[in-house]
Amino acid sequence: MSMSNIATYPSSQVEAIHGNFQGKDIVSLDQFTVGDLYMVFNLALKMRELVLTSEPSQILAGKVISLLFFEPSSRTFGSFASAVKRLGGQTLDIQNPEMVTSVHKGETFEDTIRVFEAYSDAIVLRHPRSGAARAAAEAARFVPVINAGDGTNEHPTQTLLDLCTLYERFGRLDHLTGLLVGDALNSRTMHSLMRGLSLFEHNRLYILAPDQLRLARDDFVACRSRGIELIEIASEREIPTNCDFWYWTRIQQERFSSPEEYQKLAAGKFVATPELLARYAKKDMILMDPLPRVGTIDPMVDQDERAVYLRSQIRNGLYTRMALLALIMGRA
Amino acid sequence: MSMSNIATYPSSQVEAIHGNFQGKDIVSLDQFTVGDLYMVFNLALKMRELVLTSEPSQILAGKVISLLFFEPSSRTFGSFASAVKRLGGQTLDIQNPEMVTSVHKGETFEDTIRVFEAYSDAIVLRHPRSGAARAAAEAARFVPVINAGDGTNEHPTQTLLDLCTLYERFGRLDHLTGLLVGDALNSRTMHSLMRGLSLFEHNRLYILAPDQLRLARDDFVACRSRGIELIEIASEREIPTNCDFWYWTRIQQERFSSPEEYQKLAAGKFVATPELLARYAKKDMILMDPLPRVGTIDPMVDQDERAVYLRSQIRNGLYTRMALLALIMGRA
Amino acid sequence: MSMSNIATYPSSQVEAIHGNFQGKDIVSLDQFTVGDLYMVFNLALKMRELVLTSEPSQILAGKVISLLFFEPSSRTFGSFASAVKRLGGQTLDIQNPEMVTSVHKGETFEDTIRVFEAYSDAIVLRHPRSGAARAAAEAARFVPVINAGDGTNEHPTQTLLDLCTLYERFGRLDHLTGLLVGDALNSRTMHSLMRGLSLFEHNRLYILAPDQLRLARDDFVACRSRGIELIEIASEREIPTNCDFWYWTRIQQERFSSPEEYQKLAAGKFVATPELLARYAKKDMILMDPLPRVGTIDPMVDQDERAVYLRSQIRNGLYTRMALLALIMGRA
């Protein structure tokens, strides 16, 4: 497909995709079939070309998308805003929770959603409360709602960009071996990635976490029952050298019973360094981090070609969001 | 007039309207003649079609409008921002009063206005001080200023959307019978609606308010002298069954001498319920609320077709603002 | 060059300019040669025509520019936002430092810059820390960074607009005689203007400051060694009547050892009044102020045609920023 085709956008393939997504809410990763995911990622990679050529797009021309952020999130906000604008659409920015003034006057969440529904063609919602995205999708009857993170519940486009980064690199999402490091007990991004990879066959994940933050037994069992091969390891020395990717998440001090505990058990201990890569990482693997990176990856690693966190991984956030928006509400 | 005509916009009728509005400030409802109002509303209903077709508009192409909000107001901000963008224009968003940093350094209001005048083709102003819109209109010599609410003084586009909602439903703004419920003493929206309806003939309004918040004698007399038939009623049981519309406004606890007074005299007493509609409302009336709705209308009423507050009423805010912007500064 | 040529933009002259600026960071005034400055100012004056015709431009069509403001600044933000939008581009607005949430989680400044680099085609940075612009330019490898003020260090576009205002009025930047009034010890804008004018030949500047806020000896010597003729004067009565421009900056009370000192030595003493202009200013001079104006210029002077601060000076901020953006990243 040539670039001009993407920019002008009508194509038989895209129309076919529209059949699945047009006008749909995006609340949870569970909505996506394997086929859906490959569709999104293939379109995302086309969006990459669109951005690189810097050709103005008309895919969302005339569309106004509300970015309704009840809690601030500069990266997610920036990524969605950029996605809308790169497709030729416009945003209605409510970045600051205090701006949603009617809420302060006692308006219900549902009323607020229905007001912004009247002003825009879609609502991208960020909210600190679990389940807010589902409630918004039910309140909004005429426009789609996209979940940009609702508390500890879900942040589906974060998982999509992680999967897209693996797909971009390996051309598949099955038969992958990965290492997940960090707070296996609490990390939403880690749990979601495991869930996403469980849709595909023959994936094997090694989990490295502080002893206090090991994967909960229920999560372990649930993940295995969905077909992921899970192996917990106890130290860096057990990292296998055949991993296709490392996925590194930050460990928050608040998770420990005391600062001393944190200092003793975790601080500076779960860090990806050049030495670690030299010893355990193969040449064609990739090193990922959902960002912000706080004590997870030594900046000395940034120059390594395998370090994709500040390159394709963050960019794929933009491309997958562009793809989703185009599928949900792009002009045919 | 077909939709494509609206989108491309040059038409003899629109040019004629331009004669009245082009480049004008919108500070007060008093600026509008009956003819002006019908013009705005007829164009607003055409804007509704434009939005429904989702056709990109060029009416404000190349125009930059400053949304200068010295106090936050999510709905008014969202509505104006959407109106500008749906017409193909762009906004310069100053949503947060703390952002107007030069004010904090001691700059005069007039200087701030003249700075933003230099950056944009119009200024939409929200300000907590009565009279700020008039002062801004005088300071800005080259671009129009639109009042988006200046303290307790005026919020002319709120009244326009209320009138437009009545016009959309009944095809006229005369010979209407309405019920106004709430804080008749203080409610700016209620006072403005009465004033707006007094421009048209043979309108009759029933007023239901807590005893402590009855319409001030001066307001009563002024309104009557302008030709409105006003009837105060003392309880729900006196609501006549022939009303064309109910307009429900919230009663703020702070208006009472004590929380106990509020609890005793108002809390839960002036609420539109399904039972009330069943008993007193005719089939073809409409139920309105300027929003946010706080203790005014039972959510059980939302499904009723006569409940327009979260449907056409809020949408007409968008359409009337689009119409005004087009009339003031649209491309011929 | 006709207006339509500017709007469509490909021209041999502009391509030639591109040679110098395309893709470049703008961190410091020191980057500019005399030729560069004249190029920017000539294009800025063409941008003035573009704005006056209100013709939609495509120069930044399809481009997204991050306005990353780590401290609020309503005028600089508004000016850059307007510049981008008047050229047909879009902005990604991060106006509020608290919005840069990842920073609060411990992300490094460099990571934040690289994230926004991935979302946009350029970054306009405002930051309270001296040297932040240089650091950002080094972190961002693929997109240009424009310094919109980094602490007490530099605010190059402020100086460009001051110089542009002189160039617009006099058609040259050499052989000018000026009066600089205010806090000669600390004023960044005053220092930068002296530095900018030192690039051109035969300029003479009279400096009038409170005794406590006289130009530092080092600055005096450095400026003279670069070829500016500097003359300190001790009172208004020494203002020569042949000045081409007056440049008035505010004196902050915090600079004095006590409020009493300020009241005694500066308050109300360094103010441009109609009387002062009548006595010392020639007919074809201009009166400038970098704004916000706080106790610097009597509002009675505003009507005087020589008072350009709220007219061409503030507008030239828009035009020079448009010119810079077009040169750095406009479509050829």
Side-chain angles (χ1 to χ4, degrees):
Chain A
M1 193 191 217
S2 80
M3 260 317 85
S4 59
N5 279 343
I6 291 174
T8 55
Y9 200 62
S11 89
S12 57
Q13 189 199 353
V14 167
E15 283 173 36
I17 298 172
H18 259 312
N20 280 337
F21 283 97
Q22 197 162 27
K24 288 271 179 70
D25 302 308
I26 303 295
V27 171
S28 164
L29 191 66
D30 292 341
Q31 299 173 243
F32 292 82
T33 66
V34 166
D36 289 340
L37 291 174
Y38 280 127
M39 263 177 198
V40 171
F41 301 148
N42 283 322
L43 188 57
L45 299 184
K46 285 172 187 162
M47 291 299 175
R48 182 182 62 187
E49 303 304 310
L50 180 62
V51 169
L52 292 177
T53 60
S54 207
E55 206 56 47
S57 164
Q58 298 294 315
I59 293 174
L60 293 185
K63 305 280 188 181
V64 175
I65 287 92
S66 288
L67 304 183
L68 205 51
F69 276 55
F70 283 77
E71 70 176 2
S73 171
S74 51
R75 278 169 307 126
T76 305
F77 174 84
S79 184
F80 268 111
S82 182
V84 169
K85 291 171 183 191
R86 290 228 178 268
L87 292 173
Q90 302 218 62
T91 60
L92 209 165
D93 298 352
I94 306 289
Q95 283 188 59
N96 195 324
E98 291 161 39
M99 292 296 104
V100 188
T101 47
S102 42
V103 172
H104 284 243
K105 293 180 186 164
E107 187 177 70
T108 64
F109 177 68
E110 284 72 19
D111 276 15
T112 304
I113 294 295
R114 290 180 70 187
V115 165
F116 280 90
E117 178 186 26
Y119 296 156
S120 51
D121 299 298
I123 294 172
V124 174
L125 178 76
R126 174 80 167 204
H127 202 284
R129 179 164 54 84
S130 283
R134 173 82 55 205
E138 279 163 20
R141 300 183 193 174
F142 305 108
V143 308
V145 170
I146 300 174
N147 186 358
D150 59 340
T152 57
N153 183 38
E154 284 221 41
H155 189 358
T157 58
Q158 170 73 47
T159 312
L160 290 179
L161 80 88
D162 288 338
L163 292 173
C164 188
T165 301
L166 292 170
Y167 178 68
E168 179 190 30
R169 176 65 191 80
F170 300 107
R172 65 176 200 279
L173 288 165
D174 49 53
H175 295 84
L176 294 173
T177 298
L179 169 71
L180 273 50
V181 182
D183 181 351
L185 183 62
N186 301 293
S187 167
R188 183 182 65 188
T189 53
M190 200 190 287
H191 292 177
S192 295
L193 182 59
M194 287 161 56
R195 193 173 190 85
L197 283 171
S198 74
L199 290 171
F200 301 86
E201 296 186 344
H202 296 293
N203 288 316
R204 173 188 297 176
L205 298 177
Y206 292 87
I207 315 282
L208 173 59
D211 212 46
Q212 295 75 356
L213 301 175
R214 286 177 58 189
L215 198 60
R217 186 74 201 156
D218 283 359
D219 287 331
F220 189 90
V221 171
C223 208
R224 277 217 166 159
S225 74
R226 284 197 302 271
I228 288 264
E229 188 178 349
L230 278 186
I231 301 127
E232 293 187 278
I233 61 178
S235 105
E236 289 174 0
R237 289 185 300 278
E238 294 177 39
I239 297 174
T241 55
N242 67 333
C243 285
D244 298 305
F245 67 94
W246 291 3
Y247 188 90
W248 225 268
T249 68
R250 69 189 170 120
I251 296 168
Q252 296 173 263
Q253 184 174 316
E254 309 87 85
R255 303 297 189 187
F256 289 82
S257 55
S258 70
E260 293 72 33
E261 280 280 289
Y262 169 74
Q263 283 302 328
K264 185 173 143 208
L265 298 167
K269 286 201 200 310
F270 296 85
V271 181
T273 59
E275 295 70 35
L276 209 67
L277 264 91
R279 181 165 302 187
Y280 300 106
K282 55 179 186 169
K283 282 234 167 74
D284 57 352
M285 57 81 75
I286 54 176
L287 176 57
M288 302 168 72
D289 185 318
L291 304 183
R293 147 171 77 164
V294 184
T296 47
I297 299 178
D298 184 335
M300 293 293 293
V301 174
D302 293 4
Q303 306 310 322
D304 194 303
E305 282 190 5
R306 295 168 290 186
V308 299
Y309 38 89
L310 282 168
R311 298 179 210 173
S312 58
Q313 193 179 356
I314 190 76
R315 284 173 200 278
N316 286 332
L318 175 62
Y319 307 144
T320 49
R321 283 161 187 140
M322 288 173 74
L324 264 189
L325 287 165
L327 291 169
I328 294 168
M329 55 191 309
R331 298 184 169 276
Chain B
M1 196 193 217
S2 80
M3 259 316 84
S4 60
N5 279 342
I6 290 172
T8 54
Y9 200 62
S11 88
S12 57
Q13 190 199 351
V14 167
E15 283 174 34
I17 299 173
H18 259 311
N20 281 336
F21 284 96
Q22 197 160 26
K24 287 271 179 70
D25 302 307
I26 303 295
V27 171
S28 165
L29 192 64
D30 293 340
Q31 299 173 241
F32 292 82
T33 66
V34 166
D36 289 340
L37 291 174
Y38 280 127
M39 262 177 197
V40 171
F41 302 148
N42 282 322
L43 187 56
L45 299 184
K46 284 172 187 162
M47 291 299 175
R48 181 182 63 187
E49 303 304 310
L50 179 62
V51 169
L52 292 177
T53 60
S54 207
E55 206 56 46
S57 164
Q58 297 294 315
I59 293 174
L60 294 185
K63 305 280 189 180
V64 175
I65 286 93
S66 288
L67 304 183
L68 205 52
F69 276 55
F70 283 77
E71 70 176 2
S73 171
S74 51
R75 278 169 308 126
T76 304
F77 174 84
S79 183
F80 269 110
S82 182
V84 169
K85 291 170 182 190
R86 290 225 177 272
L87 293 172
Q90 302 219 62
T91 61
L92 209 165
D93 299 353
I94 305 290
Q95 284 187 59
N96 194 324
E98 290 161 40
M99 292 296 105
V100 189
T101 45
S102 42
V103 171
H104 283 245
K105 294 180 187 161
E107 186 176 71
T108 64
F109 177 68
E110 283 72 19
D111 276 15
T112 303
I113 293 297
R114 290 179 71 187
V115 165
F116 280 89
E117 178 186 26
Y119 297 156
S120 51
D121 299 297
I123 294 172
V124 174
L125 177 77
R126 173 82 166 203
H127 201 284
R129 178 164 55 85
S130 284
R134 173 81 55 204
E138 279 163 21
R141 301 183 192 172
F142 305 108
V143 308
V145 170
I146 300 174
N147 186 356
D150 58 340
T152 57
N153 182 38
E154 283 222 42
H155 190 356
T157 58
Q158 170 71 48
T159 312
L160 290 178
L161 79 89
D162 289 338
L163 293 173
C164 187
T165 301
L166 293 170
Y167 178 67
E168 179 188 31
R169 176 66 190 80
F170 300 108
R172 64 174 201 281
L173 288 165
D174 50 52
H175 295 83
L176 294 173
T177 298
L179 168 70
L180 274 50
V181 181
D183 181 351
L185 184 62
N186 301 294
S187 168
R188 183 183 64 188
T189 53
M190 199 189 286
H191 292 177
S192 296
L193 182 58
M194 287 161 54
R195 194 173 188 85
L197 283 171
S198 73
L199 290 171
F200 301 87
E201 296 187 344
H202 296 292
N203 288 317
R204 173 187 297 176
L205 298 177
Y206 293 87
I207 315 284
L208 172 59
D211 212 45
Q212 295 76 356
L213 301 175
R214 285 176 60 189
L215 197 60
R217 186 72 202 160
D218 283 359
D219 288 332
F220 189 90
V221 170
C223 210
R224 276 216 168 160
S225 74
R226 284 197 302 271
I228 287 264
E229 188 178 349
L230 277 188
I231 300 126
E232 292 187 279
I233 61 177
S235 104
E236 289 175 0
R237 290 185 300 276
E238 294 177 40
I239 297 174
T241 56
N242 66 333
C243 284
D244 297 307
F245 67 93
W246 291 2
Y247 189 90
W248 224 269
T249 68
R250 71 188 168 119
I251 296 169
Q252 294 173 263
Q253 184 174 316
E254 310 87 84
R255 302 298 187 186
F256 289 82
S257 54
S258 70
E260 293 72 33
E261 279 281 288
Y262 170 73
Q263 283 303 327
K264 186 172 142 209
L265 298 166
K269 285 199 201 309
F270 296 85
V271 181
T273 60
E275 295 71 36
L276 209 66
L277 264 92
R279 183 165 300 187
Y280 300 106
K282 56 178 186 168
K283 283 234 167 73
D284 57 351
M285 57 81 75
I286 54 176
L287 175 58
M288 303 168 73
D289 184 318
L291 306 181
R293 146 172 78 163
V294 182
T296 47
I297 297 177
D298 184 334
M300 293 293 293
V301 175
D302 292 5
Q303 306 309 321
D304 193 302
E305 282 190 5
R306 295 168 291 187
V308 300
Y309 37 89
L310 283 168
R311 297 179 211 173
S312 58
Q313 193 180 356
I314 190 77
R315 285 173 199 279
N316 286 332
L318 175 61
Y319 307 145
T320 50
R321 283 161 187 140
M322 289 173 74
L324 264 190
L325 288 165
L327 292 169
I328 295 168
M329 54 191 310
R331 298 183 168 275
Chain C
M1 196 194 217
S2 80
M3 260 315 87
S4 60
N5 279 344
I6 291 173
T8 54
Y9 200 63
S11 89
S12 57
Q13 189 199 352
V14 167
E15 283 173 35
I17 299 173
H18 260 312
N20 280 336
F21 283 98
Q22 197 161 26
K24 287 271 179 70
D25 302 307
I26 303 295
V27 171
S28 165
L29 191 66
D30 293 341
Q31 297 173 242
F32 292 82
T33 66
V34 166
D36 289 340
L37 291 174
Y38 281 126
M39 262 178 199
V40 171
F41 301 149
N42 282 321
L43 187 56
L45 299 185
K46 285 171 187 162
M47 291 299 174
R48 181 181 63 187
E49 303 304 310
L50 180 62
V51 169
L52 292 178
T53 60
S54 207
E55 206 56 48
S57 163
Q58 298 294 315
I59 293 175
L60 293 184
K63 305 281 188 180
V64 175
I65 287 91
S66 288
L67 303 183
L68 205 51
F69 275 56
F70 283 77
E71 70 177 2
S73 171
S74 50
R75 278 169 308 127
T76 304
F77 174 84
S79 184
F80 269 110
S82 183
V84 169
K85 290 170 183 192
R86 290 226 178 272
L87 292 172
Q90 302 218 63
T91 60
L92 210 165
D93 299 352
I94 305 290
Q95 284 188 57
N96 195 324
E98 290 161 40
M99 292 295 104
V100 189
T101 47
S102 41
V103 172
H104 284 243
K105 294 180 186 162
E107 186 177 70
T108 63
F109 177 68
E110 283 71 19
D111 275 15
T112 303
I113 293 296
R114 290 180 69 187
V115 165
F116 280 89
E117 179 186 26
Y119 297 156
S120 51
D121 300 298
I123 294 172
V124 174
L125 179 76
R126 173 81 167 204
H127 202 284
R129 178 165 55 86
S130 283
R134 173 82 54 204
E138 278 163 22
R141 300 181 193 176
F142 305 107
V143 308
V145 170
I146 300 174
N147 186 357
D150 59 340
T152 57
N153 183 36
E154 284 222 40
H155 190 355
T157 59
Q158 170 72 46
T159 312
L160 290 178
L161 78 89
D162 288 339
L163 293 173
C164 187
T165 301
L166 292 170
Y167 177 68
E168 179 189 31
R169 176 66 191 79
F170 300 107
R172 63 175 201 279
L173 288 165
D174 49 53
H175 295 83
L176 294 174
T177 298
L179 168 71
L180 274 49
V181 181
D183 181 351
L185 183 63
N186 301 293
S187 168
R188 182 183 65 188
T189 53
M190 201 190 287
H191 291 177
S192 295
L193 182 59
M194 287 161 55
R195 193 173 190 85
L197 283 171
S198 74
L199 289 170
F200 301 86
E201 295 188 343
H202 295 293
N203 288 317
R204 172 188 299 177
L205 299 177
Y206 293 87
I207 315 283
L208 173 59
D211 212 46
Q212 295 75 357
L213 301 174
R214 286 176 59 188
L215 197 60
R217 186 74 202 158
D218 283 0
D219 288 331
F220 188 90
V221 170
C223 209
R224 277 218 167 160
S225 75
R226 284 197 301 274
I228 288 262
E229 188 179 349
L230 277 187
I231 301 128
E232 293 187 280
I233 60 178
S235 105
E236 289 174 0
R237 288 184 301 276
E238 296 176 39
I239 297 174
T241 55
N242 67 334
C243 284
D244 297 306
F245 67 94
W246 291 3
Y247 188 91
W248 224 268
T249 67
R250 70 188 168 119
I251 296 168
Q252 294 173 265
Q253 185 174 316
E254 309 88 85
R255 303 297 189 187
F256 289 82
S257 55
S258 70
E260 293 73 33
E261 280 280 289
Y262 170 73
Q263 282 302 327
K264 186 173 142 208
L265 298 166
K269 285 201 201 309
F270 296 85
V271 181
T273 59
E275 295 71 36
L276 208 67
L277 264 92
R279 183 164 300 187
Y280 300 106
K282 57 178 185 168
K283 281 234 167 74
D284 57 351
M285 57 81 76
I286 54 175
L287 175 58
M288 302 169 72
D289 184 319
L291 305 181
R293 147 172 77 164
V294 182
T296 47
I297 298 179
D298 185 332
M300 293 294 292
V301 175
D302 292 4
Q303 306 309 322
D304 193 303
E305 282 190 6
R306 295 168 290 187
V308 300
Y309 38 89
L310 282 168
R311 298 179 212 173
S312 59
Q313 193 180 357
I314 190 76
R315 286 174 198 279
N316 286 333
L318 176 61
Y319 307 145
T320 49
R321 283 160 187 141
M322 289 174 73
L324 265 189
L325 288 165
L327 292 169
I328 295 168
M329 54 191 309
R331 298 183 169 276

